[in-house]
Amino acid sequence: MTETQATAETAGFLCEAEGVGHTFLTPAGRPVRVLDGIQLQIRPNEVVALLGPSGCGKSTLLRILAGLIRPTEGEVRVHGQPLRGINPGVAIVFQSFALYPWMTAAENVRTVLRARGVAGAEIERRVDATLRAMGLAGFEDSYPRELSGGMKQRVGLARALSVEPEVVFMDEPFSQVDALTAESLRAEVLDIWSSHERNPSSIVLVSHDIREVAYMADRIVVLGGAPGHVRTVIEDRVPRPRDYRSPEIERLVEELHEIITGGELPDVSEAPAPPVEAIEPLPESRPSEILGLLEYLDARGGTDDLFRVVAETRQDFGHVIAVTKAAEMLDLVDTPRRAITLTPVGKRFLAAALPDRSRMWRDQLLKLGLFRRLADVIDRQPRRSLDRDFVLEMLALALPDENQERLWATLIAWAQFGGLLDYDAHSDELTLA
């Protein structure tokens, strides 16, 4: 291929990542690599899904493609030209809605059009058209506090669509709404996209929901972590319109399950145990959810297939993975291939009385580097306590790519369940129990 041909080909992509890598610096100046060697092209008239475990850099990659973050390695190109600053053809729909609470639904849409320099009459036309398209006619003057989660996300979608972007980036947009609302919103977004009467030409979706990406995407980019990298790209050739329950979708979901679980739940013999000094990120799961998984397995003879657990509990696949990983970290379950199996420790835990369960949980926590280090640091303090900000800084230094507030909440819930640590919300102090 000649240089002219290569340039012409890349100019046909709406945007692309060429050898993109990214390294963050912690407050102490330590480099943490979060993305490595990413090659990704966004073509016209397609839906691309980024699928992978928490912390693999999906949202960071989305922000790099949008021009919100400049990569430390590689290059982002838009229509074949290097991206300098914000990607002008992109609008973003956020997981947390990101609405201005002091503005009505119409004002939330209107303000981005003013920022884009759209003329007054055209602003009102677009506000009206996009709110109606998203089923918000009659709610133009409602404030976010007066709207349900699903309606807030409809405002977020209307705001993004109003600027008529070439590409819409969607960062887990349906994870904060109920299942029925999410299903309806997916279908509405695809209807708008597939009309081809106007932009968006393409959609890039970040998701943990395998069934969601199987239903929505034309290409599914499966990312691995540590650092984030492309494991494989799956072409979704199921004809549109699609049915969640069709055999083709079910087969694709099964294929994606196999890929994800192959990387996320490997046989113990294939992956060495982390070194004693390691600080492990805690999967977002409550002790009650871990206990629920153990009791579920116990009622089924101590083992069950992962996919059947997802189907019978009607839980999001990514959340079941998180709870399973949490139980595995505590040595309460094992995950040979697709199975989830109670370990001897897990069986003894279920058979124990409540006070003994608390003691056993504490013992398992102290096998994890994070809890062992916290207990040691607290024990060496003159007042045998640590304030919350110190712990959050410690977490940021050790695990900079994790959501520190969520990690803190999980840490406290696990530590209190095991009687290892106490937290006083009034003084913001953490002490040994």
Side-chain angles (χ1 to χ4, degrees):
M1 182 182 294
T2 67
E3 183 176 344
T4 301
Q5 288 172 322
T7 302
E9 181 180 354
T10 59
F13 300 136
L14 301 182
C15 66
E16 59 181 316
E18 176 69 30
V20 163
H22 195 68
T23 299
F24 286 116
L25 289 178
T26 68
R30 182 171 64 86
V32 177
R33 191 164 181 77
V34 294
L35 291 173
D36 182 57
I38 300 293
Q39 302 283 140
L40 178 64
Q41 298 82 34
I42 309 303
R43 306 164 186 149
N45 303 316
E46 69 170 355
V47 179
V48 177
L50 305 180
L51 180 68
S54 296
C56 74
K58 299 186 298 296
S59 295
T60 299
L61 176 57
L62 205 68
R63 282 157 175 73
I64 287 174
L65 291 172
L68 299 175
I69 299 174
R70 185 173 180 178
T72 52
E73 294 177 16
E75 185 176 62
V76 174
R77 291 194 284 266
V78 177
H79 292 287
Q81 299 301 311
L83 177 62
R84 301 286 184 262
I86 301 298
N87 189 332
V90 163
I92 303 178
V93 178
F94 298 95
Q95 175 183 7
S96 58
F97 315 133
L99 302 179
Y100 296 116
W102 60 88
M103 292 184 179
T104 65
E107 289 167 344
N108 265 280
V109 177
R110 194 176 290 122
T111 190
V112 299
L113 294 171
R114 286 176 180 151
R116 290 276 183 124
V118 179
E122 178 65 9
I123 286 177
E124 296 311 312
R125 185 194 70 78
R126 291 196 197 180
V127 169
D128 181 69
T130 53
L131 289 175
R132 285 182 180 279
M134 294 312 305
L136 290 168
F139 293 92
E140 297 89 346
D141 296 327
S142 298
Y143 289 90
R145 64 178 179 274
E146 299 169 332
L147 301 174
S148 67
M151 295 179 76
K152 289 177 187 175
Q153 195 56 291
R154 288 177 185 275
V155 177
L157 286 162
R159 180 176 59 187
L161 294 171
S162 71
V163 300
E164 299 182 354
E166 201 169 38
V167 189
V168 172
F169 286 176
M170 307 179 78
D171 193 357
E172 298 192 54
F174 312 120
S175 62
Q176 299 295 314
V177 300
D178 64 85
L180 289 177
T181 300
E183 189 169 328
S184 174
L185 285 172
R186 291 181 197 116
E188 290 175 44
V189 168
L190 289 177
D191 284 344
I192 292 170
W193 165 77
S194 63
S195 70
H196 298 305
E197 295 175 1
R198 60 186 183 277
N199 282 334
S201 171
S202 295
I203 295 171
V204 181
L205 170 72
V206 167
S207 179
H208 283 101
D209 188 328
I210 290 179
R211 193 168 294 275
E212 176 176 87
V213 303
Y215 175 74
M216 293 192 70
D218 297 300
R219 285 191 297 137
I220 301 164
V221 181
V222 181
L223 298 176
H229 61 281
V230 177
R231 291 179 57 196
T232 189
V233 180
I234 303 295
E235 298 281 346
D236 187 343
R237 303 186 188 280
V238 180
R240 298 183 189 276
R242 295 170 178 169
D243 183 343
Y244 283 100
R245 295 166 293 280
S246 71
E248 295 87 355
I249 290 291
E250 291 296 337
R251 281 195 294 271
L252 181 57
V253 168
E254 180 81 7
E255 179 183 357
L256 291 167
H257 275 159
E258 291 284 0
I259 293 169
I260 294 294
T261 55
E264 289 301 290
L265 296 176
D267 284 343
V268 172
S269 60
E270 295 177 5
V276 173
E277 303 78 33
I279 285 190
E280 312 88 343
L282 305 179
E284 189 179 359
S285 56
R286 299 186 298 274
S288 59
E289 293 173 322
I290 298 171
L291 180 58
L293 174 64
L294 301 185
E295 291 175 340
Y296 173 96
L297 294 173
D298 187 51
R300 287 156 181 80
T303 187
D304 203 356
D305 179 85
L306 170 65
F307 306 150
R308 190 156 47 246
V309 175
V310 173
E312 292 195 7
T313 61
R314 298 182 180 274
Q315 295 290 314
D316 174 74
F317 181 80
H319 187 62
V320 173
I321 286 283
V323 175
T324 302
K325 289 179 71 174
E328 189 172 31
M329 285 179 68
L330 296 167
D331 196 28
L332 299 172
V333 304
D334 190 12
T335 55
R337 297 298 178 188
R338 289 174 30 169
I340 310 175
T341 303
L342 287 172
T343 62
V345 174
K347 292 176 182 178
R348 290 199 302 273
F349 180 84
L350 285 173
L354 288 178
D356 292 330
R357 282 188 180 183
S358 178
R359 176 187 54 77
M360 291 179 67
W361 185 279
R362 175 192 174 104
D363 290 345
Q364 297 308 112
L365 291 183
L366 288 173
K367 295 179 182 178
L368 302 179
L370 174 57
F371 291 96
R372 193 168 50 250
R373 181 180 296 188
L374 266 178
D376 179 63
V377 172
I378 292 173
D379 193 47
R380 288 188 281 109
Q381 301 304 306
R383 298 175 58 243
R384 294 173 65 83
S385 67
L386 289 176
D387 65 58
R388 180 176 181 272
D389 288 342
F390 181 94
V391 178
L392 287 174
E393 178 69 13
M394 173 181 161
L395 295 176
L397 290 171
L399 301 164
D401 203 33
E402 297 295 317
N403 183 309
Q404 309 307 328
E405 292 292 342
R406 291 182 184 175
L407 186 55
W408 165 265
T410 302
L411 182 155
I412 294 301
W414 288 24
Q416 290 181 328
F417 186 78
L420 176 62
L421 302 173
D422 282 331
Y423 172 60
D424 186 333
H426 296 291
S427 64
D428 261 354
E429 287 192 335
L430 196 63
T431 59
L432 292 173

